[in-house]
Amino acid sequence: MRKYDGVIFDLDGVICFTDHYHYLAWKALADSLGIDFDESKNDRLRGVSRMESLEIVLEGYHGTPLSDAKKTALADRKNALYRQSLQTMSPKDLSDEVRDTLNELRSRGLKLAIGSSSKNTPLILERIGLAGFFDAVSDGNNITRSKPDPQVFTMAAEMLRLPAEKCLVVEDALAGLQAAAAGGFASAGLGPAAQSGEATYSLHSFRDLLDIT
């Protein structure tokens, strides 16, 4: 008897990797505002919403106070730069390991969903060849609260028509693990999340999911 009936995946850093594209876009925006921005600051943006990320970037801003409208315009500019770079993505950005593991989980009868704060989720899935693959997609286009609030995962579970205790969340960011715990989900941590001590399971590779589901 299997432990879970569904698996909910974060997108960036789990299914594929777009961190570098995010970094280049935020770096370009920060440079235009005279703000120092590096990889370590970029790491603080993992798993949080676009506007919350902007506030972190603006911690180094010392110019004329910015109105809410100006901040929205800056966030839109960053997203335009990011989306432009995403056009270079292709199915080659989906590893064989991830593709094969997803197919194996599907063949075992598990329901699969995306739970991502990104509003660019549909574009990314289309570019890497996974448009229409998942049974449910909960993302920045249908949530009002970002991680560590559990909303994105609870909505995904509702779309799958499964209770939280029958779903496993797969995350690479601490905020995502905290969101999973807050929603009553077990979690599997990859990358930095695997070392945090807050994941139910720590994975060495994406394929390890086959051993815990």
mmCIF file of all heavy atoms in Angstrom, residues 21 23 27 38-39 44 56 59 81 83 86 100 107 114 118 141 168 175 180 192:
data_model
loop_
_atom_site.group_PDB
_atom_site.id
_atom_site.type_symbol
_atom_site.label_atom_id
_atom_site.label_comp_id
_atom_site.label_asym_id
_atom_site.label_seq_id
_atom_site.Cartn_x
_atom_site.Cartn_y
_atom_site.Cartn_z
ATOM 1 N N TYR A 21 18.268 32.697 -15.113
ATOM 2 C CA TYR A 21 17.474 33.665 -15.859
ATOM 3 C C TYR A 21 16.900 34.728 -14.919
ATOM 4 O O TYR A 21 16.876 35.916 -15.242
ATOM 5 C CB TYR A 21 16.325 32.968 -16.593
ATOM 6 C CG TYR A 21 16.767 31.938 -17.602
ATOM 7 C CD1 TYR A 21 16.272 30.640 -17.558
ATOM 8 C CD2 TYR A 21 17.666 32.250 -18.620
ATOM 9 C CE1 TYR A 21 16.653 29.684 -18.488
ATOM 10 C CE2 TYR A 21 18.058 31.304 -19.552
ATOM 11 C CZ TYR A 21 17.551 30.025 -19.476
ATOM 12 O OH TYR A 21 17.938 29.095 -20.403
ATOM 13 N N TYR A 23 18.198 35.614 -12.049
ATOM 14 C CA TYR A 23 19.320 36.428 -11.584
ATOM 15 C C TYR A 23 19.688 37.501 -12.604
ATOM 16 O O TYR A 23 19.869 38.672 -12.246
ATOM 17 C CB TYR A 23 20.535 35.543 -11.293
ATOM 18 C CG TYR A 23 21.787 36.342 -11.021
ATOM 19 C CD1 TYR A 23 21.921 37.068 -9.848
ATOM 20 C CD2 TYR A 23 22.816 36.387 -11.964
ATOM 21 C CE1 TYR A 23 23.063 37.829 -9.605
ATOM 22 C CE2 TYR A 23 23.958 37.133 -11.721
ATOM 23 C CZ TYR A 23 24.070 37.855 -10.540
ATOM 24 O OH TYR A 23 25.188 38.604 -10.314
ATOM 25 N N LYS A 27 19.420 41.366 -11.817
ATOM 26 C CA LYS A 27 20.693 42.077 -11.870
ATOM 27 C C LYS A 27 20.596 43.272 -12.809
ATOM 28 O O LYS A 27 21.069 44.377 -12.490
ATOM 29 C CB LYS A 27 21.792 41.113 -12.338
ATOM 30 C CG LYS A 27 23.161 41.750 -12.562
ATOM 31 C CD LYS A 27 23.787 42.247 -11.291
ATOM 32 C CE LYS A 27 25.214 42.713 -11.536
ATOM 33 N NZ LYS A 27 25.764 43.431 -10.357
ATOM 34 N N ASP A 38 24.020 40.627 -6.072
ATOM 35 C CA ASP A 38 24.890 39.509 -6.400
ATOM 36 C C ASP A 38 24.148 38.190 -6.177
ATOM 37 O O ASP A 38 22.969 38.169 -5.811
ATOM 38 C CB ASP A 38 26.182 39.554 -5.579
ATOM 39 C CG ASP A 38 25.928 39.597 -4.071
ATOM 40 O OD1 ASP A 38 24.824 39.204 -3.626
ATOM 41 O OD2 ASP A 38 26.825 40.023 -3.326
ATOM 42 N N GLU A 39 24.843 37.084 -6.393
ATOM 43 C CA GLU A 39 24.230 35.760 -6.293
ATOM 44 C C GLU A 39 23.701 35.475 -4.888
ATOM 45 O O GLU A 39 22.665 34.828 -4.728
ATOM 46 C CB GLU A 39 25.242 34.677 -6.692
ATOM 47 C CG GLU A 39 25.690 34.733 -8.142
ATOM 48 C CD GLU A 39 24.717 34.046 -9.091
ATOM 49 O OE1 GLU A 39 23.638 33.634 -8.645
ATOM 50 O OE2 GLU A 39 25.051 33.944 -10.286
ATOM 51 N N ARG A 44 18.146 34.846 -1.684
ATOM 52 C CA ARG A 44 17.066 35.214 -0.765
ATOM 53 C C ARG A 44 15.719 35.307 -1.475
ATOM 54 O O ARG A 44 14.675 35.361 -0.821
ATOM 55 C CB ARG A 44 17.378 36.551 -0.092
ATOM 56 C CG ARG A 44 18.576 36.523 0.832
ATOM 57 C CD ARG A 44 18.889 37.919 1.351
ATOM 58 N NE ARG A 44 17.744 38.525 2.015
ATOM 59 C CZ ARG A 44 17.629 39.816 2.287
ATOM 60 N NH1 ARG A 44 18.604 40.647 1.917
ATOM 61 N NH2 ARG A 44 16.568 40.290 2.887
ATOM 62 N N ILE A 56 13.081 43.030 -1.509
ATOM 63 C CA ILE A 56 14.415 42.594 -1.073
ATOM 64 C C ILE A 56 15.485 43.284 -1.915
ATOM 65 O O ILE A 56 16.491 43.776 -1.395
ATOM 66 C CB ILE A 56 14.538 41.062 -1.160
ATOM 67 C CG1 ILE A 56 13.602 40.400 -0.133
ATOM 68 C CG2 ILE A 56 15.984 40.623 -0.926
ATOM 69 C CD1 ILE A 56 13.513 38.890 -0.260
ATOM 70 N N GLU A 59 16.172 46.896 -0.967
ATOM 71 C CA GLU A 59 16.834 47.193 0.311
ATOM 72 C C GLU A 59 18.104 48.020 0.073
ATOM 73 O O GLU A 59 18.521 48.772 0.943
ATOM 74 C CB GLU A 59 17.189 45.892 1.029
ATOM 75 C CG GLU A 59 15.989 45.143 1.593
ATOM 76 C CD GLU A 59 16.356 43.783 2.149
ATOM 77 O OE1 GLU A 59 17.557 43.407 2.093
ATOM 78 O OE2 GLU A 59 15.455 43.088 2.630
ATOM 79 N N LEU A 81 12.031 41.174 -18.891
ATOM 80 C CA LEU A 81 13.395 40.705 -19.158
ATOM 81 C C LEU A 81 13.488 39.194 -18.953
ATOM 82 O O LEU A 81 14.116 38.479 -19.746
ATOM 83 C CB LEU A 81 14.382 41.417 -18.223
ATOM 84 C CG LEU A 81 14.581 42.917 -18.458
ATOM 85 C CD1 LEU A 81 15.341 43.527 -17.278
ATOM 86 C CD2 LEU A 81 15.324 43.163 -19.758
ATOM 87 N N ARG A 83 10.975 36.888 -19.023
ATOM 88 C CA ARG A 83 10.203 36.155 -20.028
ATOM 89 C C ARG A 83 10.927 36.131 -21.368
ATOM 90 O O ARG A 83 10.865 35.133 -22.099
ATOM 91 C CB ARG A 83 8.805 36.759 -20.185
ATOM 92 C CG ARG A 83 7.884 36.467 -19.011
ATOM 93 C CD ARG A 83 6.520 37.130 -19.204
ATOM 94 N NE ARG A 83 5.814 36.574 -20.352
ATOM 95 C CZ ARG A 83 5.026 35.503 -20.303
ATOM 96 N NH1 ARG A 83 4.857 34.843 -19.153
ATOM 97 N NH2 ARG A 83 4.388 35.074 -21.374
ATOM 98 N N LEU A 86 13.379 33.412 -21.150
ATOM 99 C CA LEU A 86 12.761 32.091 -21.121
ATOM 100 C C LEU A 86 12.475 31.555 -22.518
ATOM 101 O O LEU A 86 12.323 30.338 -22.691
ATOM 102 C CB LEU A 86 11.452 32.126 -20.324
ATOM 103 C CG LEU A 86 11.558 32.316 -18.812
ATOM 104 C CD1 LEU A 86 10.164 32.311 -18.190
ATOM 105 C CD2 LEU A 86 12.434 31.245 -18.171
ATOM 106 N N ASP A 100 11.869 10.810 -16.920
ATOM 107 C CA ASP A 100 11.639 9.391 -16.682
ATOM 108 C C ASP A 100 10.956 9.152 -15.338
ATOM 109 O O ASP A 100 10.084 8.282 -15.212
ATOM 110 C CB ASP A 100 12.964 8.619 -16.726
ATOM 111 C CG ASP A 100 13.581 8.595 -18.125
ATOM 112 O OD1 ASP A 100 12.879 8.931 -19.091
ATOM 113 O OD2 ASP A 100 14.776 8.248 -18.228
ATOM 114 N N SER A 107 2.812 6.244 -14.236
ATOM 115 C CA SER A 107 2.475 4.851 -14.545
ATOM 116 C C SER A 107 2.048 4.090 -13.295
ATOM 117 O O SER A 107 1.308 3.106 -13.384
ATOM 118 C CB SER A 107 3.668 4.146 -15.205
ATOM 119 O OG SER A 107 4.705 3.885 -14.268
ATOM 120 N N ILE A 114 1.630 20.773 -10.104
ATOM 121 C CA ILE A 114 2.623 21.821 -9.887
ATOM 122 C C ILE A 114 2.081 22.754 -8.816
ATOM 123 O O ILE A 114 0.906 23.124 -8.819
ATOM 124 C CB ILE A 114 2.886 22.628 -11.179
ATOM 125 C CG1 ILE A 114 3.619 21.774 -12.218
ATOM 126 C CG2 ILE A 114 3.685 23.892 -10.879
ATOM 127 C CD1 ILE A 114 5.041 21.413 -11.853
ATOM 128 N N SER A 118 5.348 31.095 -9.167
ATOM 129 C CA SER A 118 5.656 31.809 -10.404
ATOM 130 C C SER A 118 4.422 32.012 -11.270
ATOM 131 O O SER A 118 3.672 31.070 -11.541
ATOM 132 C CB SER A 118 6.709 31.047 -11.205
ATOM 133 O OG SER A 118 6.916 31.655 -12.466
ATOM 134 N N ASN A 141 -0.686 32.646 -10.714
ATOM 135 C CA ASN A 141 -1.837 33.227 -11.393
ATOM 136 C C ASN A 141 -3.153 32.972 -10.658
ATOM 137 O O ASN A 141 -4.159 33.594 -10.989
ATOM 138 C CB ASN A 141 -1.934 32.673 -12.821
ATOM 139 C CG ASN A 141 -0.751 33.079 -13.675
ATOM 140 O OD1 ASN A 141 -0.555 34.246 -13.954
ATOM 141 N ND2 ASN A 141 0.053 32.109 -14.073
ATOM 142 N N LEU A 168 2.433 14.393 -1.357
ATOM 143 C CA LEU A 168 3.818 14.698 -1.027
ATOM 144 C C LEU A 168 4.236 15.941 -1.806
ATOM 145 O O LEU A 168 4.032 16.013 -3.019
ATOM 146 C CB LEU A 168 4.722 13.533 -1.406
ATOM 147 C CG LEU A 168 6.227 13.733 -1.194
ATOM 148 C CD1 LEU A 168 6.559 13.792 0.297
ATOM 149 C CD2 LEU A 168 7.021 12.617 -1.881
ATOM 150 N N ALA A 175 11.316 28.145 2.196
ATOM 151 C CA ALA A 175 9.966 28.709 2.260
ATOM 152 C C ALA A 175 8.933 27.692 1.792
ATOM 153 O O ALA A 175 7.821 27.630 2.314
ATOM 154 C CB ALA A 175 9.878 29.980 1.416
ATOM 155 N N ALA A 180 4.665 23.696 3.083
ATOM 156 C CA ALA A 180 4.158 22.327 3.120
ATOM 157 C C ALA A 180 3.773 21.934 4.547
ATOM 158 O O ALA A 180 2.691 21.391 4.787
ATOM 159 C CB ALA A 180 5.200 21.364 2.560
ATOM 160 N N PRO A 192 19.250 22.707 -1.678
ATOM 161 C CA PRO A 192 19.362 23.378 -0.374
ATOM 162 C C PRO A 192 18.323 22.907 0.635
ATOM 163 O O PRO A 192 18.604 22.818 1.825
ATOM 164 C CB PRO A 192 19.154 24.857 -0.739
ATOM 165 C CG PRO A 192 19.533 24.959 -2.172
ATOM 166 C CD PRO A 192 19.115 23.668 -2.793
#
